[in-house]
Amino acid sequence: MSPTIKDVAKYAGVGLGTASRVLNGGGSVNKEKRDKVMEAVKALNYTPNKMASKLRKNETRNIALLVPIINHPFFAEFAYYVEDEADKFGYSVILVSSQQRVEKEADIIKRIRRREVDGAVFVTHFAHLESELEGCPIVSLDRIFGEGIPYVTSDNYTATVKAVKYLMERGCKKIGYLGSKPIVKSEVSERERAYKDVMEQTGNQNLIVNEVIPHGGEQALAEEFLEKFPDIDGVFVSGYSMAQIFRKLAEKKNKRIPEDIQLILYDGVFSDWDRGEEVTCVEQPVEKMARAVVDILVKKIHGEDVEKRMEFPTKFIVGNTTL
Amino acid sequence: MSPTIKDVAKYAGVGLGTASRVLNGGGSVNKEKRDKVMEAVKALNYTPNKMASKLRKNETRNIALLVPIINHPFFAEFAYYVEDEADKFGYSVILVSSQQRVEKEADIIKRIRRREVDGAVFVTHFAHLESELEGCPIVSLDRIFGEGIPYVTSDNYTATVKAVKYLMERGCKKIGYLGSKPIVKSEVSERERAYKDVMEQTGNQNLIVNEVIPHGGEQALAEEFLEKFPDIDGVFVSGYSMAQIFRKLAEKKNKRIPEDIQLILYDGVFSDWDRGEEVTCVEQPVEKMARAVVDILVKKIHGEDVEKRMEFPTKFIVGNTTL
DNA sequence: CTGAAAGCGCTTACAG
DNA sequence: CTGAAAGCGCTTACAG
């Protein structure tokens, strides 16, 4: 068995409390005894057992990160910064891909109650019992839960207005909206609202396909969109996967982008692995948003007051999918 | 304060042990008492405190997953399946992006010793004190640590031979090798060995740029490669990011792929978000490899015997980066 | 089948 | 400054 702090104390010839104090820096300790303890630690090759101290201190120093699916550029990028930021505060992050399964979302709540994690970051758009969340240390991205749950978002409305107007400026006459609608209350819905407002103001028709779909349902939706609106010459696409699938489909149908259809994506350009093509897009400040989410969560775990809503400005990037 | 099992026992009018037994199914309990306990659980809205049972049972039910960086298609895909498989065994996965920082790798070892996790999956090619690993429940991908650490890999050698020969069949006369070399002993090195062997057998010259580089160093390496071998007409690229960067660079230099340079990538084609272009590549069975890694790790944590090395066959996929 | 007790390895008031 | 003690919330032999 590995040595315990008891062994260290005994070896050093001091009391248990003293050993603990030198190990944790709590309270001052006689230099001589301190040295003896350090010596004992070395001699016994002692490592503290965190399970014990966590139980005692009633904190796990873990947070859960719930994403729909980790192998998606936006969520992976987000996860990267969440981990980096959490690490700064001494928290580890437990990764959970919800895969849109409602049990997995509910499971996170259980993990908090079971003291497996101190709190959670929610990046999902699926449903579950809101009542269960009461008082839970949770922070969400985009999604609006209710009073107790703060969230971080981007300027969905204004950015979409700008994007749609840009398509018009570039000559588009028939602009569609393609997206997968959140099943829950979410700031993402502001995108559709913005689109509709612009269409109304400019006396244009709404050409929308925006549905609640299961994971993997993008293909069917993109097809539906192109069938419904075959003569479209511009499209605002909400979501990275959807845009990728739309582009593939358009190619297959011999619709050239941007010559035949101009495209703007909400959900930006990412790292190197993104093949470096420049999509015209609304880019979210993923890093800042991820760090903010963690900062808020940590504050919340410590019982501090936090902002209920935090909005970050996006960047409009002109690429080669518009003329 | 939330209720403890003690409260449940008191409420139900039974002993602590009895309450524990009905909650964990250990040993049989009188039906009547069982019902009373269940009733108490409901009434008090009791949730067990896992920190306590973990301490008692000396298991965290957490494993760490160490990847160089999570926002990379291969690692994200790998992580997805690791989490899914771990979940089946009741384990949670703690995500750590090493960012090539040696402290982060060493930190994982500490986490195991501190009982923050029961074991770890290593997907990194950086260095640290091998001696520290002795007896640690660790499983690696590709990397060869030594006797005690099992690993999962793919058929690097044969797949590379096949790929390079394919380039020849397609008419390439000057075939280069571009990759980032692992700093440690790894099965990935078999790729370079295979390339060299084919070159030697066919009486061709080695045109290799394969260096140990820091994260983000791909660009410089790709440039070096093209400067050194400007008249190349085929290239075997090891690693996804490197290939993406190479393709971008080639485009900038007006080298068309595949017309001027044919390209084969080791590290396959992934999900939808990969823009769907078909790169000719050697595809690793990521899902199977990830699940195998977890299966082995769980066995190892439970002290069972495990295979020391497990090789999975890759698939050769012909795309549009070769003629 | 069941209750009282010991103990997992820590930390933290509490006297001194 | 420091040691002995209590306790975090469980589980698991141990008697009965």
Side-chain angles (χ1 to χ4, degrees):
Chain A
M1 280 310 297
S2 38
T4 71
I5 195 169
K6 223 168 160 178
D7 300 319
V8 170
K10 198 181 297 172
Y11 187 100
V14 302
L16 239 179
T18 307
S20 176
R21 260 165 252 136
V22 351
L23 292 176
N24 300 292
S28 42
V29 180
N30 180 309
K31 165 104 172 70
E32 202 176 327
K33 299 210 174 193
R34 153 166 275 116
D35 290 345
K36 286 212 166 178
V37 170
M38 300 305 270
E39 214 177 296
V41 166
K42 283 271 186 306
L44 301 173
N45 191 20
Y46 169 74
T47 314
N49 182 324
K50 286 289 183 186
M51 288 197 285
S53 62
K54 284 173 176 187
L55 169 62
R56 190 50 230 270
K57 301 205 270 189
N58 192 32
E59 60 167 23
T60 67
R61 285 273 153 179
N62 289 149
I63 59 176
L65 168 62
L66 182 68
V67 292
I69 188 159
I70 187 62
N71 50 348
H72 177 291
F74 183 84
F75 302 129
E77 182 95 355
F78 188 80
Y80 176 81
Y81 292 111
V82 164
E83 194 256 311
D84 192 67
E85 187 72 8
D87 190 54
K88 287 187 189 164
F89 292 104
Y91 283 84
S92 295
V93 357
I94 287 181
L95 176 69
V96 182
S97 292
S98 77
Q99 309 163 332
Q100 309 274 38
R101 295 214 316 260
V102 71
E103 327 89 69
K104 277 225 166 184
E105 283 200 24
D107 194 51
I108 300 290
I109 314 290
K110 281 199 200 128
R111 291 195 210 208
I112 295 176
R113 297 204 60 211
R114 284 191 205 120
R115 311 303 298 111
E116 294 185 60
V117 298
D118 292 338
V121 173
F122 269 67
V123 190
T124 69
H125 298 283
F126 215 69
H128 57 70
L129 300 172
E130 310 261 333
S131 63
E132 299 277 346
L133 299 174
E134 291 304 334
C136 279
I138 288 174
V139 178
S140 95
L141 182 72
D142 289 332
R143 180 159 169 194
I144 307 165
F145 280 101
E147 268 317 294
I149 312 294
Y151 65 92
V152 167
T153 190
S154 56
D155 55 358
N156 292 277
Y157 188 90
T158 50
T160 303
V161 166
K162 186 169 176 183
V164 176
K165 287 191 171 162
Y166 185 83
L167 285 174
M168 291 175 170
E169 284 167 25
R170 307 311 294 167
C172 294
K173 300 296 177 204
K174 299 198 76 139
I175 300 171
Y177 181 106
L178 174 61
S180 94
K181 196 207 293 274
I183 199 172
V184 293
K185 209 173 160 199
S186 164
E187 295 264 340
V188 168
S189 302
E190 290 296 290
R191 301 180 193 169
E192 181 174 349
R193 191 168 73 81
Y195 166 84
K196 284 178 174 166
D197 284 355
V198 175
M199 291 296 109
E200 191 178 342
Q201 283 159 26
T202 55
N204 282 292
Q205 217 184 332
N206 285 334
L207 308 171
I208 302 178
V209 169
N210 194 23
E211 300 293 333
V212 173
I213 52 166
H215 174 61
E218 291 89 352
Q219 183 69 35
L221 215 61
E223 282 173 15
E224 179 187 334
F225 178 78
L226 269 184
E227 270 163 37
K228 239 171 151 172
F229 313 121
D231 54 347
I232 221 101
D233 63 359
V235 60
F236 175 91
V237 183
S238 173
Y240 187 89
S241 318
M242 187 66 91
Q244 295 301 74
I245 282 166
F246 179 83
R247 291 173 71 188
K248 237 189 283 187
L249 185 65
E251 194 177 331
K252 209 177 285 173
K253 300 214 169 189
N254 292 317
K255 300 271 195 186
R256 291 163 306 162
I257 292 175
E259 293 81 355
D260 302 323
I261 303 179
Q262 297 190 53
L263 179 149
I264 294 181
L265 160 67
Y266 201 113
D267 259 16
V269 158
F270 307 94
S271 321
D272 307 331
W273 42 323
D274 191 320
R275 249 168 285 143
E277 284 175 32
E278 283 130 25
V279 180
T280 302
C281 66
V282 175
E283 187 188 41
Q284 300 186 64
V286 185
E287 175 173 356
K288 281 181 189 157
M289 292 168 80
R291 294 196 190 279
V293 161
V294 173
D295 295 351
I296 294 171
L297 180 59
V298 169
K299 275 190 195 163
K300 199 147 190 260
I301 288 170
H302 296 334
E304 296 171 33
D305 278 348
V306 296
E307 313 81 316
K308 295 299 175 206
R309 177 182 187 280
M310 216 167 155
E311 182 183 297
F312 284 84
T314 55
K315 216 155 71 182
F316 186 68
I317 295 182
V318 176
N320 55 24
T321 59
T322 46
L323 291 173
Chain B
M1 281 310 296
S2 37
T4 70
I5 196 169
K6 221 166 161 180
D7 300 318
V8 170
K10 198 180 295 171
Y11 188 101
V14 303
L16 240 180
T18 307
S20 177
R21 259 165 253 136
V22 352
L23 292 176
N24 300 291
S28 42
V29 180
N30 179 312
K31 165 106 172 69
E32 202 176 326
K33 299 209 175 195
R34 152 166 276 117
D35 289 346
K36 286 213 168 180
V37 171
M38 299 306 270
E39 215 177 295
V41 166
K42 281 272 184 307
L44 301 173
N45 192 21
Y46 169 75
T47 315
N49 182 323
K50 285 290 183 185
M51 288 197 286
S53 62
K54 285 172 175 187
L55 170 61
R56 191 48 232 270
K57 301 204 271 189
N58 192 31
E59 60 167 23
T60 67
R61 285 273 152 180
N62 289 148
I63 60 175
L65 169 61
L66 182 67
V67 292
I69 189 160
I70 186 62
N71 49 349
H72 177 291
F74 184 84
F75 303 130
E77 183 96 355
F78 189 81
Y80 176 81
Y81 291 112
V82 164
E83 194 257 311
D84 192 67
E85 187 72 9
D87 189 55
K88 287 186 189 164
F89 293 103
Y91 282 84
S92 296
V93 357
I94 288 182
L95 177 69
V96 182
S97 292
S98 78
Q99 308 164 290
Q100 310 274 37
R101 295 212 316 259
V102 71
E103 327 89 69
K104 277 225 166 183
E105 283 200 24
D107 195 51
I108 300 290
I109 314 288
K110 280 199 200 129
R111 290 195 211 208
I112 295 176
R113 297 204 60 210
R114 284 190 206 119
R115 310 301 300 110
E116 294 184 59
V117 297
D118 293 338
V121 173
F122 269 68
V123 190
T124 68
H125 299 283
F126 216 69
H128 58 69
L129 300 170
E130 309 263 333
S131 63
E132 298 276 345
L133 300 173
E134 291 305 335
C136 280
I138 288 174
V139 178
S140 96
L141 182 72
D142 288 332
R143 180 159 167 194
I144 307 165
F145 279 102
E147 268 315 296
I149 313 293
Y151 64 92
V152 168
T153 190
S154 57
D155 55 359
N156 292 277
Y157 188 89
T158 50
T160 303
V161 166
K162 185 170 175 182
V164 176
K165 287 192 172 162
Y166 185 83
L167 285 174
M168 291 176 170
E169 284 167 26
R170 306 313 293 168
C172 294
K173 299 296 177 205
K174 299 198 75 138
I175 300 170
Y177 181 106
L178 174 61
S180 94
K181 196 207 293 273
I183 199 171
V184 293
K185 208 173 162 199
S186 164
E187 295 263 342
V188 168
S189 301
E190 290 295 290
R191 300 179 194 168
E192 181 174 348
R193 190 168 74 83
Y195 165 84
K196 283 180 175 165
D197 284 356
V198 175
M199 290 297 110
E200 190 177 343
Q201 283 159 26
T202 55
N204 282 292
Q205 217 184 332
N206 285 335
L207 308 171
I208 303 178
V209 168
N210 194 24
E211 301 293 332
V212 174
I213 52 166
H215 174 60
E218 291 89 353
Q219 184 69 34
L221 215 61
E223 282 172 15
E224 179 186 334
F225 178 78
L226 269 184
E227 271 162 36
K228 242 170 149 170
F229 312 121
D231 55 347
I232 221 103
D233 63 0
V235 61
F236 175 91
V237 183
S238 172
Y240 188 88
S241 318
M242 187 66 92
Q244 295 302 73
I245 282 166
F246 179 83
R247 291 172 71 189
K248 237 188 284 186
L249 186 65
E251 195 176 332
K252 208 177 285 173
K253 299 215 167 188
N254 293 318
K255 300 270 194 186
R256 291 163 307 163
I257 292 176
E259 294 82 354
D260 302 323
I261 303 180
Q262 297 190 54
L263 180 148
I264 295 182
L265 160 66
Y266 201 114
D267 258 15
V269 157
F270 307 95
S271 321
D272 307 330
W273 43 321
D274 191 319
R275 248 169 287 145
E277 285 176 31
E278 285 132 22
V279 180
T280 302
C281 66
V282 175
E283 188 187 41
Q284 300 186 64
V286 185
E287 175 173 356
K288 281 181 190 157
M289 292 168 81
R291 294 195 190 280
V293 161
V294 173
D295 295 351
I296 294 172
L297 180 59
V298 169
K299 275 190 196 164
K300 199 148 190 259
I301 288 171
H302 295 335
E304 297 170 32
D305 277 347
V306 296
E307 312 81 317
K308 296 299 176 204
R309 177 181 186 280
M310 217 168 156
E311 182 184 296
F312 284 84
T314 54
K315 216 156 71 184
F316 186 68
I317 295 181
V318 176
N320 56 25
T321 59
T322 45
L323 290 174

